Amino acid sequence: MPRTSRTPRISKPQGGPRRPHVPRVLRVPPITLASRTGRDGWSSEILTDPAAFTALAAEWDALHAVCSTATPFQTRGWLASWWRHYGGHDRLRLAVVRRSGRLVALAPMMIVRRGPWWVLSAIGAGISDFADVLVDDARGTAEPSEVREAVRRLGWTLLRIPGWQVIDLREVRPGASAFRLLDVWPGARARLADSVCMQLPSRPIEEFVRSLSHRTGSKTRSKIRKIDALGLKVERVEADEAADAASAVLDLHRRLWVGRGITPEHLKGRFEGHLRTATREMAAAGQAEVLLYRHGDELVAGDLVLVGHDMVGPYLYGVHPEFRNKVDVAVLLLRQNLVLAQDLGLPVLSLLRGQEPYKVRWHPQEEHNSRVLLARRGRLGEGELTGYRALARGRRKAADLVKERMPKAVEGRERLRRARSAMIERGWGG
């Protein structure tokens, strides 16, 4: 008996087509959330409106001034400018703690998506050498119990922010206030290695040269004499001209490095916009200096230097390509950076992130930044942190392995980077 063919049954979707899952946090409107005030005078709030940068201006500046661990990368001028040019829609999360109405702790954060995790990350990530939270410790003289309480309440305020699974603070320098937060955090926590930074003690150039080996010191003295023979004029730019001077430094930087492995971000308009805005604000507050070097009437070099409580840090330099062959640029800039640190009475010349040969030659002291990871309490928080930490470690190991065992891949990536730079150069990129 022949078989009868049957029409296959097709199950109908229940309830119509499935909609992609959209995390609730994306729908949080950019408004000030309800603050909490206790009977003991402590209060906290979470701000999501970018207008908070203006509303908190005076308080933020005052808090930065009394926080001993603060760097130029936590100034309102730097971070407000970064948010203006890099910030995302409805992503801002400012955790604020006050005591008797006075701002005593601040965590400038934003919420981002990384793989399957929603992450609270420090504002300024990517182009900032240090990340941290701000805590009023009266420049290290406050009562430790009061500082600890402010940090503890900052932690609880961060826990009130909905939607995140992991807090990821990259580039935390030794001694930062973020480590105070790590110590009191009630949930899962971890600390990983991050970038290596280098620094030199601030001292007169003659004393610095004497500290070098005989051979290196002799070569350095010869290069200084060659620089002096050119009769360069060094100008510390006034605050009202700082934005244009920063653009001039960036232009020299682009001309020097384009096609030679320049960071593609440095060719984009948003990076220049950020530098102009941040430098203008920070120079007016004494938190940035722009140095211009002229040979006759020609601008041949420039240096954007950020100024902290205890250090100066050259952030970006530029040199005319032809002038680069006439002098040792590293010696030229190092001498003036040491002079600036001496003039400002600051003990440290920070060379910031990186182990480039022009830094290593001076035998600087190494400092290792850390990556601080925090998660919520309970097994769920521990699980989230374990997965995220594995991802972070895996990516770092993969990058190190590629550098060590696959040099051709690194060279290929560098060629691709140069090609991208050349494409962006045509219009100095968007």
Side-chain angles (χ1 to χ4, degrees), residues 122-306:
I123 296 173
I127 61 172
S128 300
D129 289 64
F130 303 123
D132 203 0
V133 298
L134 294 175
V135 180
D136 181 359
D137 62 359
R139 290 289 191 97
T141 64
E143 182 66 32
S145 60
E146 294 182 1
V147 176
R148 185 178 179 85
E149 181 63 15
V151 174
R152 189 183 70 83
R153 291 177 181 269
L154 182 63
W156 282 108
T157 305
L158 289 169
L159 284 168
R160 285 181 55 209
I161 299 175
W164 64 267
Q165 295 156 298
V166 177
I167 294 177
D168 187 356
L169 291 172
R170 299 290 307 268
E171 307 300 350
V172 179
R173 73 189 297 217
S177 290
F179 291 124
R180 295 168 171 162
L181 183 62
L182 180 69
D183 290 340
V184 303
W185 187 254
R189 51 191 173 174
R191 176 177 176 177
L192 307 179
D194 219 328
S195 300
V196 176
C197 297
M198 296 187 171
Q199 64 181 37
L200 294 166
S202 169
R203 61 177 103 176
I205 186 64
E206 298 82 5
E207 182 180 337
F208 171 76
V209 173
R210 286 197 299 270
S211 71
L212 302 174
S213 67
H214 175 74
R215 182 178 180 183
T216 304
S218 178
K219 287 184 177 181
T220 303
R221 290 187 187 93
S222 175
K223 292 172 180 178
I224 290 176
R225 288 193 294 269
K226 186 176 181 179
I227 292 171
D228 290 340
L230 292 175
L232 296 178
K233 299 177 182 178
V234 183
E235 174 190 359
R236 285 175 61 177
V237 176
E238 297 293 332
D240 58 351
E241 300 175 350
D244 290 339
S247 288
V249 172
L250 180 57
D251 179 64
L252 289 171
H253 177 81
R254 288 166 167 171
R255 294 168 67 182
L256 176 66
W257 289 106
V258 72
R260 300 174 55 232
I262 188 173
T263 302
E265 185 62 33
H266 292 178
L267 293 171
K268 295 183 179 180
R270 66 181 183 181
F271 182 73
E272 180 171 6
H274 164 66
L275 278 192
R276 288 183 60 88
T277 306
T279 303
R280 180 174 60 249
E281 294 288 332
M282 296 173 71
Q287 298 161 342
E289 295 272 356
V290 184
L291 306 178
L292 298 181
Y293 303 77
R294 300 185 187 276
H295 188 214
D297 294 330
E298 183 182 9
L299 180 64
V300 295
D303 200 7
L304 171 58
V305 184
L306 304 184

Side-chain angles (χ1 to χ4, degrees), residues 276-345:
R276 288 183 60 88
T277 306
T279 303
R280 180 174 60 249
E281 294 288 332
M282 296 173 71
Q287 298 161 342
E289 295 272 356
V290 184
L291 306 178
L292 298 181
Y293 303 77
R294 300 185 187 276
H295 188 214
D297 294 330
E298 183 182 9
L299 180 64
V300 295
D303 200 7
L304 171 58
V305 184
L306 304 184
V307 180
H309 295 331
D310 60 352
M311 61 88 169
V312 298
Y315 180 74
L316 186 84
Y317 76 91
V319 180
H320 194 288
E322 295 179 2
F323 185 73
R324 173 175 171 266
N325 300 321
K326 296 181 180 180
V327 299
D328 188 319
V329 175
V331 174
L332 172 68
L333 301 179
L334 176 72
R335 178 166 71 162
Q336 289 307 133
N337 291 158
L338 286 172
V339 169
L340 179 62
Q342 290 281 297
D343 288 347
L344 297 176

